[in-house]
Amino acid sequence: MRISRRLAATASAAVFVLMAGVAMAEGEKVVIGTEGAYPPFNNLESDGTLTGFDIDIAKALCEEMKAECTFVTQDWDGIIPALIAKKFDAIVASMSITEERKQQVDFTNKYYNTPPAIVVPKDSPITEATAAALSGKALGAQGSTTHSNYAEAHMKESEVKLYPTADEYKLDLANGRIDAAIDDVVVLSEWLKTEDGACCKLLGTLPIDPVINGEGAGIAIRKGDDALREKLNKAIEAIRANGKYKQINEKYFPFDVYGS
């Protein structure tokens, strides 16, 4: 689970419409913002379609609420300001629920929770995912994420290098310009399965810091929009109970990403 993303498609670019519950006036419109640059959770494909776990969960929630949902891509650094500016009504983009973010937006209950992890090149002499082992090493992370915050708080002896997008730190890691990278364990594991990720290996997961990593990934909404939050929370409960969540989970992962 994560916490930051890329510049990719501009916010004015791709808009995706889905007719999709409970508790909303049928056909009520909800605009959902996502990044489109964080596979396997959300990704803007070359044909202009949005795919990923976040996207399928959002569609299931819209269907449960009987809402007409529109998806808009937005770069990560501007995604909360865009929500506050009413460019969209909710953010479904693997955003971790943290106290810092709660100062700007409200959140639903979590819809998944996975830990951070470290990846290194396959020939790396680093043998464990600890601050001591990474001391003096160049550690890449996407900026403005819980992962970059974690690195800066717990890897103080590392040279933490921040990137606008996950793709950029992955490129530098593959080309030997940094020694290691930190991100969500699922994101890193899926990347390692690709041709681009063949360079590297998972070193290990990191202990969750509740202050930094938060309670899990939730849906961000504007402060005070209690009606939408309640509807989304009920829809999350409903898809967990009716098997739809399990069906989507199994499409992407061999384990339960909801967490304890």
Side-chain angles (χ1 to χ4, degrees):
M1 168 190 65
R2 149 208 193 193
I3 310 151
S4 256
R5 292 42 175 297
R6 106 183 182 203
L7 296 151
T10 61
S12 60
V15 174
F16 306 82
V17 177
L18 154 76
M19 288 301 299
V22 307
M24 285 188 111
E26 189 162 350
E28 186 171 342
K29 296 181 179 180
V30 178
V31 182
I32 296 173
T34 194
E35 188 194 14
Y38 197 57
F41 291 101
N42 60 80
N43 196 50
L44 183 64
E45 304 293 343
S46 59
D47 64 359
T49 59
L50 275 170
T51 61
F53 179 79
D54 288 332
I55 307 306
D56 286 358
I57 288 292
K59 289 178 179 180
L61 297 177
C62 291
E63 182 178 358
E64 187 66 34
M65 296 188 299
K66 293 186 169 63
E68 181 181 332
C69 290
T70 304
F71 290 80
V72 178
T73 55
Q74 170 70 50
D75 68 275
W76 183 252
D77 287 344
I79 205 164
I80 286 180
L83 173 66
I84 294 170
K86 300 185 178 181
K87 187 166 188 176
F88 32 79
D89 304 304
I91 298 170
V92 185
S94 292
M95 181 171 283
S96 294
I97 304 166
T98 67
E99 291 303 317
E100 182 180 3
R101 289 186 177 130
K102 284 180 180 179
Q103 295 176 22
Q104 301 180 75
V105 297
D106 287 339
F107 283 96
T108 63
N109 298 334
K110 73 167 186 177
Y111 64 96
Y112 81 86
N113 192 10
T114 50
I118 298 290
V119 289
V120 295
K122 285 182 176 177
D123 61 355
S124 172
I126 305 170
T127 58
E128 55 185 27
T130 64
L134 291 163
S135 178
K137 305 299 184 182
L139 177 63
Q142 185 174 6
S144 301
T145 67
T146 54
H147 302 304
S148 62
N149 293 343
Y150 190 105
E152 291 173 332
H154 294 286
M155 310 293 182
K156 295 182 184 293
E157 301 304 315
S158 298
E159 179 191 347
V160 178
K161 186 173 181 180
L162 304 183
Y163 296 82
T165 72
D167 287 343
E168 290 170 81
Y169 79 65
K170 291 172 183 174
L171 184 62
D172 270 9
L173 183 64
N175 288 317
R177 290 189 283 267
I178 55 176
D179 302 301
I182 179 173
D183 207 327
D184 180 88
V185 65
V186 173
V187 170
L188 294 176
S189 297
E190 291 300 307
W191 175 61
L192 294 176
K193 296 176 185 177
T194 68
E195 183 177 348
D196 289 340
C199 60
C200 302
K201 64 182 178 181
L202 188 72
L203 194 61
T205 58
L206 297 165
I208 287 177
D209 181 329
V211 175
I212 295 174
N213 299 114
E215 308 159 27
I219 299 170
I221 54 174
R222 281 184 292 278
K223 277 202 165 289
D225 196 348
D226 297 333
L228 180 56
R229 179 174 60 183
E230 178 68 14
K231 292 163 188 172
L232 286 165
N233 277 336
K234 287 182 177 178
I236 291 169
E237 291 176 10
I239 66 170
R240 287 280 296 164
N242 65 20
K244 184 63 177 178
Y245 184 99
K246 184 174 185 289
Q247 179 183 341
I248 295 169
N249 189 127
E250 291 178 347
K251 175 180 175 181
Y252 293 96
F253 314 114
F255 55 90
D256 183 6
V257 295
Y258 187 77
S260 57

